[in-house]
Amino acid sequence: MRIVRFASPSGMSFGVLDGDGQVAQIEGHPFGTISFTGQRFAQADVRLLSPILPSKVVCVGKNYAEHVKEMNTGDAPERPLLFLKPSTSVIGPGDAIRIPPGSTNVHHEVELAVVIGARGARNLTPEQVPASVFGYTIANDVTERDMQAADGQWTRAKGFDSFCPLGPWIETDLGALGKDPADLAITCTVDGELRQSGRTSQLLFDVPTLVSTISQVMTLLPGDVVLTGTPAGVGPIAPGQRVECAIEGLGSLTNGVSGADPTSTAGAGR
């Protein structure tokens, strides 16, 4: 099932996107039993938003061996390397990634994103993790490299408004599509040029290990998002470019790149 969050003339709602390109509106939140309102919209007539508004986005650094090599910042970690992106960094498909004033070294990072379900996740074993996963979506962990290197810790470099595109939907049953989240093709192109290409089977720490580890540190609430790391091939993006992140079974997430907008409101495009 593909869960979307969308804007229509009647406001913002959650819905289910079917194979015919129709969005069936649902009552309230998609966690738990889904109840349809009876309203349907053509996908072309609505605007897809980020499919979820998490209380936090928990990210994992250096989780693909080839990416560790290209970053040239030491060996692969012995345990998952965790950091946070604020909820205000989240934007949806089609929204603009905004380059901070004066910055010339902002990079794309395509990532498989895990959405936590109604049970939440606290002190889980890896075996318990699947029951707490609502579904999967695509993320772009946008990063300001100069700030990342200068600061040592990554909050500023990763935390700007618009630095976490999510979408276009949450797929709740990859198995029904014949796909396994443990082995999905993952790519990123910039203006049609292939930059990143890998498979989630190359993760150093898999999804159950990551969610279990994070849940031992902090409670993951329903709707929280875990980013699992990026394959090799990260590189700079600039105003006017178009970034497309794609993951097998999940579609593609496309965002343009713009300069900073000093009049924008945090999270306006979410």
Side-chain angles (χ1 to χ4, degrees), residues 50-253:
S50 62
I52 200 71
L53 290 176
S55 76
K56 56 186 172 292
V57 180
V58 188
C59 311
V60 181
K62 299 183 178 183
N63 202 27
Y64 285 80
E66 292 303 311
H67 177 57
V68 174
K69 291 179 183 177
E70 75 175 348
M71 294 303 292
N72 195 28
T73 55
D75 296 333
E78 295 181 359
R79 62 186 62 84
L81 176 61
L82 306 180
F83 61 95
L84 296 172
K85 291 174 87 81
S87 61
T88 46
S89 67
V90 172
I91 58 174
D95 294 329
I97 299 166
R98 301 193 300 276
I99 304 297
S103 176
T104 59
N105 200 18
V106 173
H107 285 205
H108 57 80
E109 293 190 8
V110 60
E111 308 205 9
L112 175 68
V114 184
V115 182
I116 301 300
R119 296 187 182 193
R122 183 171 183 270
N123 293 329
L124 299 184
T125 65
E127 294 73 23
Q128 293 171 319
V129 166
S132 287
V133 173
F134 179 63
Y136 298 87
T137 189
I138 305 169
N140 187 352
D141 176 20
V142 182
T143 306
E144 212 293 351
R145 290 285 181 230
D146 292 338
M147 296 179 187
Q148 185 180 28
D151 293 355
Q153 57 83 27
W154 301 349
T155 300
R156 183 168 66 123
K158 303 276 193 175
F160 283 93
D161 292 353
S162 82
F163 269 28
C164 190
L166 289 178
W169 45 68
I170 300 167
E171 176 56 64
T172 63
D173 191 359
L174 278 168
L177 302 175
K179 307 297 181 182
D180 182 349
D183 187 24
L184 301 173
I186 178 170
T187 62
C188 179
T189 63
V190 178
D191 288 344
E193 173 196 357
L194 182 64
R195 295 275 191 88
Q196 294 181 267
S197 180
R199 300 194 69 86
T200 57
S201 56
Q202 298 166 332
L203 288 169
L204 298 176
F205 301 102
D206 63 14
V207 169
T209 299
L210 294 177
V211 175
S212 171
T213 299
I214 294 165
S215 78
Q216 307 294 325
V217 178
M218 66 191 81
T219 298
L220 292 168
L221 301 175
D224 280 351
V225 172
V226 174
L227 305 194
T228 57
T230 196
V234 299
I237 53 177
Q241 292 187 312
R242 179 175 178 270
V243 184
E244 182 176 3
C245 298
I247 299 180
E248 184 180 1
L250 299 178
S252 63
L253 168 67

Side-chain angles (χ1 to χ4, degrees), residues 6-20:
F6 66 97
S8 70
S10 58
M12 290 185 291
S13 308
F14 284 97
V16 174
L17 177 65
D18 65 25
D20 296 324

Side-chain angles (χ1 to χ4, degrees), residues 6-8 17-18 20-24 39-48:
F6 66 97
S8 70
L17 177 65
D18 65 25
D20 296 324
Q22 296 285 314
V23 177
Q39 279 199 289
R40 295 177 65 85
F41 303 87
Q43 184 179 345
D45 294 335
V46 300
R47 178 189 173 206
L48 295 187

